[in-house]
Amino acid sequence: MNETRTDFLDLATRRHSVRAYSARPVDRAIIDRCLEAARLAPSACNSQPWTFIVIDDPVLREALASAAGGGMLPLNHFTRQAPVLVAVVAERANMSARVGSRVKDKPFAMMDVAIAAEHFCLQAADEGLGTCMLGWFDEPRVRSLLDIPSTARPALMLTLGYPDHHSGAAKRRRKPMEQISAWNRYPQTQSAKASAPVSGRRSVAGLILWLAVTYLAAVIGGAATARAGAFYADLTRPPWAPPGWLFGPVWSLLYTLMGIAAWQVWRTRGWRAARGPLCLYLAHLGVNAVWSWLFFAWRMGAVAFGWILLLMAMVFAMIRTFRRIRPATAWLLWPYLAWLIFAAALAFYVWQRNPGLL
Ligand SMILES: Cc1cc2nc3c(=O)[nH]c(=O)nc-3n(C[C@H](O)[C@H](O)[C@H](O)COP(=O)(O)O)c2cc1C
């Protein structure tokens, strides 16, 4: 067998995102080879959950290019120049890939689609063509222009064409090798050290601090409700409304649980590695504290109702992100979310039935 060794590294080095194209048309045979490269891509459980739609019809291409533009934002305007666009559609994966994806909490179908799209782009680069993957586009518009059914999702768009050689050299900014790779163990970078679990006295101090920050939010919010007893009693309330005295104990428990949840996340990963979820938590405390003011002090029924929906969305996001760090921790937040749903229903009822007061 005559085995020739193509220089893949050279191809990977040459491929870059091209954002300026010449008007030169692209041969169908070349596009077919790019599609063949995509067809050969690996996928979880060999599910091949993709469809590549090639668009060379000028009218449709123009419509899609405008769907890929960023609207008011100066994004993806080069899409208009590309003689060919390709929509990469993620299909429903086969049963075993779907089960695996669920069990392992990994988006296999999206991973598969990305790999196939990259196969397409690498073959295009080998043919002397330029491509750019687009993740930012108006998905509903693309879906409707291409008649994509609800069972599938347009995951990526690709521009394809001959690069305009006057467009300047490609910028290839890449992280240094030691930052993206290691041998035999996770790299001992700053962030790896920072993500080590916190223990001992620091952990106890952390617990006190997280609870203190949380109770601070409770105190700020509580200041709005301190003199709201009479106001609450005067409101027309639903028969299922709890008595006023119950709110204090319930909120105290919820604040304690959420403070412990934040502490557990911090203790498991450290501040640096869990900065995103912990900042979300802190921002949520601010939203939580302001809610009581909106409802009880400033008596803005509509805004308060919208605010509690925002709070619910934030708590839901916290449950999702905390769960990834420490699955058991998420359980500490479910009672909070359940209470917020109840409180939102109560706030809605009270706002609707007390037009003069809220
Ligand atoms: C999933 C994904 C989505 C992308 N979306 C866009 C996009 O909407 N607009 C754009 O100009 N580039 C987009 N890109 C291209 C990246 O910006 C580009 O690959 C990255 O900056 C590295 O540069 P290079 O491709 O030239 O090596 C996307 C790339 C990927 C992988």
Side-chain angles (χ1 to χ4, degrees):
M1 202 167 84
N2 181 19
E3 281 201 22
T4 52
R5 185 173 170 272
T6 52
D7 195 342
F8 176 74
L9 198 53
D10 174 57
L11 178 61
T13 309
R14 272 188 290 124
R15 190 227 49 90
H16 63 272
S17 295
V18 171
R19 297 188 177 87
Y21 294 91
S22 79
R24 188 176 154 194
V26 183
D27 257 14
R28 209 179 173 119
I30 299 181
I31 301 176
D32 282 342
R33 285 198 290 276
C34 296
L35 289 170
E36 176 62 5
R39 196 172 73 91
L40 294 172
S43 56
C45 305
N46 201 16
S47 172
Q48 305 165 56
W50 51 62
T51 303
F52 284 70
I53 307 175
V54 182
I55 302 109
D56 62 350
D57 174 85
V59 178
L60 186 56
R61 205 185 58 210
E62 179 63 28
L64 281 164
S66 96
M72 304 291 282
L73 301 170
L75 275 173
N76 298 342
H77 287 164
F78 59 92
T79 312
R80 287 212 153 72
Q81 290 176 8
V84 180
L85 294 176
V86 180
V88 189
V89 180
E91 301 290 342
R92 200 169 143 82
N94 64 21
M95 176 67 98
S96 45
R98 287 208 310 276
V99 170
S101 187
R102 211 14 96 88
V103 172
K104 289 290 147 200
D105 189 20
K106 278 185 196 151
F108 285 152
M110 282 294 167
M111 291 176 176
D112 297 340
V113 165
I115 294 168
E118 179 62 353
H119 269 215
F120 185 103
C121 293
L122 285 169
Q123 179 63 28
D126 200 39
E127 305 271 358
L129 284 159
T131 54
C132 185
M133 292 196 193
L134 308 173
W136 181 291
F137 55 83
D138 182 341
E139 203 175 307
R141 239 173 107 207
V142 169
R143 181 186 283 286
S144 112
L145 284 165
L146 298 175
D147 290 332
I148 297 170
S150 58
T151 49
R153 180 170 185 199
L156 282 171
M157 300 277 294
L158 309 176
T159 52
L160 178 70
Y162 288 96
D164 176 356
H165 290 293
H166 304 292
S167 62
K171 286 189 217 117
R172 308 303 301 281
R173 279 173 288 123
R174 290 298 188 265
K175 292 178 182 173
M177 185 61 84
E178 60 280 10
Q179 202 179 329
I180 61 117
S181 64
W183 290 66
N184 301 321
R185 62 178 297 185
Y186 193 82
Q188 292 300 289
T189 56
Q190 277 290 83
S191 71
K193 278 186 207 135
S195 75
V198 182
S199 55
R201 270 197 212 158
R202 250 190 97 216
S203 171
V204 176
L207 175 62
I208 294 168
L209 199 69
W210 281 107
L211 284 175
V213 171
T214 307
Y215 292 145
L216 180 68
V219 170
I220 294 172
T225 56
R227 271 169 290 158
F231 165 65
Y232 182 74
D234 282 351
L235 291 171
T236 306
R237 283 167 289 148
W240 41 269
W245 60 262
L246 189 68
F247 288 90
V250 169
W251 273 112
S252 302
L253 176 68
L254 295 176
Y255 280 121
T256 305
L257 292 180
M258 70 179 92
I260 292 173
W263 167 68
Q264 286 185 341
V265 166
W266 168 80
R267 198 179 57 145
T268 308
R269 281 282 173 87
W271 169 259
R272 257 203 230 176
R275 190 173 9 213
L278 292 173
C279 283
L280 172 64
Y281 177 76
L282 293 174
H284 133 274
L285 282 183
V287 172
N288 176 304
V290 169
W291 186 82
S292 304
W293 286 88
L294 285 170
F295 192 85
F296 291 105
W298 304 326
R299 299 180 188 179
M300 301 163 78
V303 181
F305 180 66
W307 204 257
I308 203 165
L309 296 183
L310 170 69
L311 192 56
M312 277 160 54
M314 290 178 102
V315 173
F316 187 65
M318 271 157 46
I319 289 176
R320 285 181 66 108
T321 53
F322 282 21
R323 196 175 51 189
R324 273 187 219 126
I325 293 171
R326 198 172 179 279
T329 294
W331 289 105
L332 296 176
L333 296 177
W334 280 113
Y336 180 22
L337 186 61
W339 178 256
L340 283 180
I341 293 169
F342 176 73
L346 184 60
F348 183 77
Y349 184 102
V350 171
W351 161 45
Q352 292 294 304
R353 296 294 171 94
N354 297 273
L357 291 169
L358 276 161

